[in-house]
Amino acid sequence: MTDEQERVQPSGVWATAVGVARVRALENEREDALFRDPLAQAFATAGGLWPHSPPLPGDEAARRRRLAVSFSIVIRTKFLDDLLQQASASGIRQVVLLGAGMDSRAFRMNWPDGTRLFEIDTAAPLDFKASVLRQERAVARCERITGAVDLREDWPATLTAAGHNPALPTVWIAEGLLIYLPEEAVELLLARISAQSAAGSRIGLTLGSRGVIERFGADAVPGSAASMWVSEMPDDPVGWLAGHGWEAHSYTLRERAAAYGRPISTPPPHEERPGGLISAVRR
């Protein structure tokens, strides 16, 4: 039986990772792409979202919201790519992707010798991903190690068993993840990350901005990403991270989009609060 015949199709929260891959595949087609992800189209195809995807909603407001989510995925991808490159340049050789989904950074980014990249997710998306990677004969550009565990369980034990050394600095990425976790689970996740982080470690987070659930989730289609969002960022994300021992910087999507040459042309509907793109260093 072929990988394609055995492949379990996406469902639940992890199906959103395939939607993210489709957004990245569309970015690939731009001449001015902010990043290149050669595997994104293969993930989207395997998940049934390429070349076609569900049509845009007929309702103009809903259509704008979906396009806004896609835009945010592109900007956050570039933001975290830059953070990882900076961490590597600083000498960090351990990378942990929490809720890795269809992330292909192990394959598409240039990594210094000695880099070990850990992908933590549940078994279903990791198995789906592995079948696509075999199909594409993809070769990682660093040592890539996967760990199958639910992030609500004892994932640090799985990570340690896979070879992660908490005595050495680590760069952690939680992209498009925390919004799907209730607040108490977000707190526990950050506490566990902090316990596994030597001084000089770095972290990149994407947080749901205040009010995003109200704006996007009210009329969300059941099963869509927005219908599964449950938590937003604290009012003071920098202070929140400081309480866990991190020196953080917060950026808005608008700020980063302008810096990347993709400015948002419409004015903000209200005074912008602290942003949901976070970089931090362990003190």
Side-chain angles (χ1 to χ4, degrees):
M1 186 175 291
T2 66
D3 276 339
E4 186 172 353
Q5 290 170 322
E6 292 181 334
R7 192 177 296 143
V8 175
Q9 287 302 296
S11 62
V13 171
W14 79 266
T16 64
V18 179
V20 170
R22 184 177 191 278
V23 172
R24 291 176 175 156
L26 290 170
E27 179 69 9
N28 281 342
E29 298 185 336
R30 293 179 62 118
E31 291 186 6
D32 63 344
L34 296 181
F35 54 84
R36 299 291 177 186
D37 188 343
L39 290 169
Q41 184 175 321
F43 291 136
T45 299
L49 295 183
W50 195 272
H52 304 293
S53 71
L56 286 172
D59 176 74
E60 182 60 24
R63 180 178 181 276
R64 286 198 302 269
R65 287 195 293 270
R66 185 186 292 186
L67 292 174
V69 170
S70 296
F71 182 79
S72 71
I73 289 169
V74 170
I75 300 303
R76 83 186 192 199
T77 299
K78 168 65 174 169
F79 174 77
L80 296 173
D81 282 0
D82 288 354
L83 185 151
L84 286 165
Q85 289 169 348
Q86 292 159 7
S88 292
S90 76
I92 296 177
R93 297 294 178 265
Q94 289 189 130
V95 181
V96 179
L97 309 180
L98 296 170
M102 300 303 111
D103 190 302
S104 66
R105 290 184 172 98
F107 302 87
R108 68 176 179 81
M109 294 182 67
N110 293 319
W111 298 100
D113 291 344
T115 298
R116 308 184 80 204
L117 185 149
F118 299 86
E119 296 189 9
I120 303 299
D121 212 327
T122 54
L126 288 176
D127 290 346
F128 175 93
K129 186 175 189 175
S131 72
V132 175
L133 294 173
R134 286 192 297 268
Q135 172 188 294
E136 298 299 309
R137 295 182 171 83
V139 178
R141 298 182 178 184
C142 60
E143 183 181 359
R144 174 178 175 262
I145 303 159
T146 61
V149 62
D150 192 306
L151 289 172
R152 295 167 296 184
E153 299 173 358
D154 187 10
W155 60 265
T158 298
L159 184 61
T160 300
H164 176 258
N165 184 353
L168 299 175
T170 302
V171 54
W172 305 83
I173 299 295
E175 180 178 4
L177 169 65
L178 303 188
I179 199 169
Y180 294 100
L181 300 176
E183 290 184 10
E184 61 272 19
V186 172
E187 286 291 336
L188 177 59
L189 186 76
L190 184 56
R192 285 172 164 174
I193 290 172
S194 302
Q196 300 290 314
S197 296
S201 293
R202 303 194 181 198
I203 190 170
L205 304 176
T206 63
L207 302 171
S209 59
R210 303 299 293 179
V212 70
I213 294 176
E214 179 181 350
R215 294 195 308 273
F216 286 76
D219 58 353
V221 176
S224 67
S227 72
M228 295 181 275
W229 293 349
V230 295
S231 70
E232 298 175 345
M233 70 180 185
D235 289 326
D236 178 13
V238 171
W240 171 61
L241 280 156
H244 287 272
W246 296 85
E247 182 178 347
H249 296 276
S250 168
Y251 305 88
T252 66
L253 187 73
R254 185 177 296 270
E255 289 170 339
R256 289 296 84 201
Y260 303 148
R262 297 275 182 90
I264 299 173
S265 58
T266 56
H270 48 70
E271 183 179 353
E272 290 194 299
R273 300 174 180 176
L277 299 176
I278 310 292
S279 66
V281 178
R282 183 69 169 164
R283 295 196 296 258

